[in-house]
Amino acid sequence: ILMLSVRSEMRFKQARELFLAGATHELKTPLASLRLYAETLAREGLKPEDRARIHLRMVDDVGRLEHLVDEVLSMSAADTFDQGPRQRLDLRDECGEVLDDLRRFIADRRATVELRGQRGATVFGNRLTFSLALRNLVINAVRHCPAPVHVTVSVDKGQRWHRVTVRDDGPGIPRRYHERIFECFFTGESRDSDAKGAGLGLYLVKRNVDSLGGSVDLVSDEGRGSSFTMVLPAMTTGA
């Protein structure tokens, strides 16, 4: 038992060190970019059109920092803080609240998000855990697809399992990445450096869905969009 405890502690320390190293690297990239842009703006004789272009770039970098900080805080919250009591959740209502919260982000990205499905698909779990998972799936779909992207969030009720699917009409994900897409800090390749994330969003999705007793399925191919489905256990009578 002592040996198992020591090994578990060592694995935890290694995972924590890996996470801190990765997060530090991802934070440094937009910070270095912001420093460079700030120094450039201080130069004399900078053309108005160049100043406007740099300003837009700085806004994008601030957005990347905010998104990364949100993901890191989400991971810290899952490890350190109580995410609230387990309760009855109607998936259709929960999806609606998440999308309402993301309305400004969706509009700014010139995206459209459609919610489909009827009420009655209920699960027993933490509201924050589910909300963070869905939020990351929608943000990923909007951020990593060329505008104007159309995203559909569908709630399908089942007897034993309910399904919440986030489907986009973007460029899709190559099959060679499917097995690693949920790994922490895995980002694959991106032609658009501004859309490239830190590789935390989908890792958080899988971890949160796992904690709800479910799983995440991916269906995607290059040029055909992507579908991420959260498969969640239906609430049993008396829960």
Side-chain angles (χ1 to χ4, degrees), residues 184-226:
C184 188
F185 296 119
F186 179 76
T187 59
E189 298 175 0
S190 175
R191 296 177 182 178
D192 185 356
S193 59
D194 293 332
K196 189 173 182 179
L200 288 174
L202 292 177
Y203 170 75
L204 281 171
V205 170
K206 185 179 186 307
R207 200 173 69 166
N208 281 15
V209 173
D210 285 347
S211 72
L212 290 169
S215 61
V216 187
D217 296 333
L218 166 62
V219 177
S220 182
D221 210 343
E222 289 184 273
R224 297 184 179 181
S226 302

Side-chain angles (χ1 to χ4, degrees), residues 105-107 109-114 138-152 167-172 225-226:
F105 167 79
I106 293 169
R109 296 279 177 163
R110 296 186 295 118
T112 56
V113 180
E114 177 185 1
V138 174
I139 289 176
N140 256 34
V142 173
R143 290 183 72 239
H144 296 283
C145 296
V149 61
H150 180 73
V151 179
T152 302
R167 181 179 295 105
D168 65 62
D169 58 359
S226 302

Side-chain angles (χ1 to χ4, degrees), residues 6 10 20 29 31 35 37 46 49 63 81 106 129 133 150 162 164 168 186 192 205 212 224:
V6 171
M10 290 178 63
L20 289 175
T29 301
L31 284 174
R35 170 185 280 274
Y37 288 141
L46 192 65
E49 57 269 24
F81 303 106
I106 293 169
T129 302
H150 180 73
H162 302 316
V164 178
D168 65 62
F186 179 76
D192 185 356
V205 170
L212 290 169
R224 297 184 179 181

Side-chain angles (χ1 to χ4, degrees), residues 11 39 56 64 92 115 147 152 173 193 202 204 215 230:
R11 285 195 296 268
E39 292 174 350
L56 290 176
R64 289 175 61 191
R92 175 62 168 72
L115 177 58
T152 302
I173 301 170
S193 59
L202 292 177
L204 281 171
S215 61
M230 295 184 285

Side-chain angles (χ1 to χ4, degrees), residues 18 31 34 78 80 131-132 151 170 198 222 231 237:
L18 177 62
L31 284 174
L34 284 170
T80 309
S131 297
L132 288 173
V151 179
E222 289 184 273
V231 184
T237 303

Side-chain angles (χ1 to χ4, degrees), residues 25-237:
H25 171 75
E26 293 298 336
L27 285 167
K28 282 184 176 180
T29 301
L31 284 174
S33 179
L34 284 170
R35 170 185 280 274
L36 177 62
Y37 288 141
E39 292 174 350
T40 303
L41 286 176
R43 296 176 183 174
E44 296 182 0
L46 192 65
K47 297 180 180 179
E49 57 269 24
D50 291 334
R51 189 177 298 276
R53 176 177 54 82
I54 291 174
H55 176 262
L56 290 176
R57 289 287 186 178
M58 293 180 74
V59 171
D60 287 340
D61 281 337
V62 170
R64 289 175 61 191
L65 276 173
E66 290 178 339
H67 183 64
L68 178 58
V69 169
D70 284 344
E71 290 181 330
V72 172
L73 289 176
S74 296
M75 294 186 68
S76 298
D79 287 333
T80 309
F81 303 106
D82 183 3
Q83 294 193 13
R86 290 170 62 84
Q87 56 190 298
R88 178 185 181 275
L89 304 176
D90 186 298
L91 295 176
R92 175 62 168 72
D93 291 340
E94 299 302 320
C95 289
E97 290 189 14
V98 171
L99 295 183
D100 283 344
D101 185 55
L102 292 174
R103 186 179 303 170
R104 177 65 181 273
F105 167 79
I106 293 169
D108 288 346
R109 296 279 177 163
R110 296 186 295 118
T112 56
V113 180
E114 177 185 1
L115 177 58
R116 298 176 181 175
Q118 301 296 321
R119 292 179 175 85
T122 59
V123 299
F124 191 67
N126 300 100
R127 170 169 283 119
L128 179 59
T129 302
F130 173 78
S131 297
L132 288 173
L134 179 62
R135 179 184 177 89
N136 275 301
L137 284 179
V138 174
I139 289 176
N140 256 34
V142 173
R143 290 183 72 239
H144 296 283
C145 296
V149 61
H150 180 73
V151 179
T152 302
V153 178
S154 304
V155 179
D156 297 307
K157 181 180 178 181
Q159 291 185 345
R160 296 182 57 191
W161 301 90
H162 302 316
R163 287 171 167 77
V164 178
T165 300
V166 178
R167 181 179 295 105
D168 65 62
D169 58 359
I173 301 170
R175 289 183 178 273
R176 63 183 180 276
Y177 296 146
H178 286 199
E179 292 186 0
R180 299 191 59 197
I181 198 70
F182 296 104
E183 293 180 6
C184 188
F185 296 119
F186 179 76
T187 59
E189 298 175 0
S190 175
R191 296 177 182 178
D192 185 356
S193 59
D194 293 332
K196 189 173 182 179
L200 288 174
L202 292 177
Y203 170 75
L204 281 171
V205 170
K206 185 179 186 307
R207 200 173 69 166
N208 281 15
V209 173
D210 285 347
S211 72
L212 290 169
S215 61
V216 187
D217 296 333
L218 166 62
V219 177
S220 182
D221 210 343
E222 289 184 273
R224 297 184 179 181
S226 302
S227 295
F228 288 90
T229 300
M230 295 184 285
V231 184
L232 302 169
M235 182 176 176
T236 57
T237 303

